[in-house]
Amino acid sequence: MKNEEYNIKLAAYIEQLQELRKEAVSLATGIIGETLCMDDLFFCASVDRCIRLIDGLIPMLKDRNLTCAGVLLRIQMDNCMRTYAAFIAEDRNAVIRCILDGTPIKSLKDAKGNKLLDGYLKDEVAKIDPIFSKVYNNASGYVHLSEKAFYQTVDSCDNYEIGIQIGQPLPEKRNAPLLEAAAAYIHFVNLHFKMLQAVVESKQRFDASQTENESQEV
């Protein structure tokens, strides 16, 4: 795929990302609702992190920086896992306190008694999103020094020779994986937002009950 075609296709993905950014702000407003609770601080931090990642991903896609795009995709998937941990935790408040305090949640358990390790959270999210595990494993290759780095450094040439490129523009043949990263990021932002929408709906019910109780007291 030539760079000209890449840029045309990328424009559509960037438009979707910008719309998701707007939706994220709306979700945060719904999460806060009429009253501010400790849960809200956690879920709003999750929304804000997603927005910051979108703001970082767009220029990386424009610059055709596959390594950074892959890392940001992996971090957004982590956003999904941490958010989902609050839903399945044995003690949601404990998870929220850990994350707000900067303490690892791996020693905490879900309602079935399983520790909230990254591998376990990955498998649990994969139960609601079949492609999660495969994409997570692939994206992790950009976080760690792995074959992803190797295959961006070497390139096959004529006469069975191998070219080594350090810090050179990404070959055009990597444009397809870049677009795949953009599409995957959008997919997992939408997954994240489905979780957060449940929080919004719960907050609406909570606010409605509070209003009803206040009206009964009058």
Side-chain angles (χ1 to χ4, degrees):
M1 182 190 303
K2 296 296 184 182
N3 287 341
E4 293 78 10
E5 182 183 356
Y6 169 79
N7 288 327
I8 292 171
K9 292 184 176 181
L10 178 62
Y13 286 120
I14 290 176
E15 184 177 352
Q16 292 180 63
L17 288 166
Q18 291 170 336
E19 288 300 315
L20 287 170
R21 193 189 194 284
K22 295 177 184 177
E23 186 179 344
V25 175
S26 178
L27 277 170
T29 301
I31 289 168
I32 295 171
E34 301 297 325
T35 54
L36 184 64
C37 305
M38 187 172 71
D39 286 23
D40 302 337
L41 300 176
F42 165 74
F43 289 116
C44 283
S46 176
V47 174
D48 183 70
R49 191 180 192 220
C50 179
I51 291 173
R52 305 296 179 188
L53 291 171
I54 289 173
D55 290 345
L57 180 66
I58 290 174
M60 292 302 99
L61 291 171
K62 289 180 177 178
D63 290 345
R64 300 176 58 251
N65 190 325
L66 179 57
T67 298
C68 288
V71 170
L72 293 174
L73 167 60
R74 170 64 177 75
I75 297 174
Q76 174 55 27
M77 298 182 78
D78 176 79
N79 245 9
C80 293
M81 288 161 52
R82 294 295 183 274
T83 302
Y84 196 61
F87 285 93
I88 65 174
E90 180 181 41
D91 183 348
R92 174 185 284 193
N93 288 332
V95 170
I96 290 171
R97 283 194 301 270
C98 275
I99 291 177
L100 295 181
D101 293 341
T103 306
I105 65 171
K106 60 184 179 181
S107 62
L108 301 178
K109 297 180 179 180
D110 70 355
K112 294 182 285 188
N114 299 296
K115 287 189 175 182
L116 298 175
L117 301 170
D118 281 356
Y120 180 72
L121 289 172
K122 177 189 72 172
D123 292 341
E124 288 301 291
V125 176
K127 292 178 181 178
I128 62 172
D129 189 300
I131 70 169
F132 192 88
S133 185
K134 181 179 179 180
V135 178
Y136 179 95
N137 292 338
N138 286 335
S140 293
Y142 293 104
V143 176
H144 311 291
L145 184 59
S146 70
E147 82 285 353
K148 303 290 186 185
F150 171 73
Y151 285 112
Q152 287 189 72
T153 304
V154 299
D155 196 12
S156 60
C157 302
D158 295 332
N159 299 321
Y160 302 101
E161 295 179 346
I162 294 178
I164 298 178
Q165 53 175 30
I166 307 296
Q168 298 300 308
L170 194 71
E172 289 183 323
K173 66 182 180 181
R174 305 295 183 197
N175 285 338
L178 269 166
L179 292 178
E180 289 172 5
Y185 188 91
I186 290 169
H187 175 87
F188 293 118
V189 170
N190 283 319
L191 174 63
H192 188 197
F193 285 4
K194 285 180 182 179
M195 299 177 192
L196 295 173
Q197 183 58 39
V199 178
V200 171
E201 292 169 2
S202 176
K203 193 59 176 292
Q204 289 171 343
R205 292 191 295 270
F206 175 80
D207 287 340
S209 67
Q210 291 292 100
T211 301
E212 183 179 352
N213 291 338
E214 289 173 0
S215 63
Q216 290 175 352
E217 292 174 359
V218 175

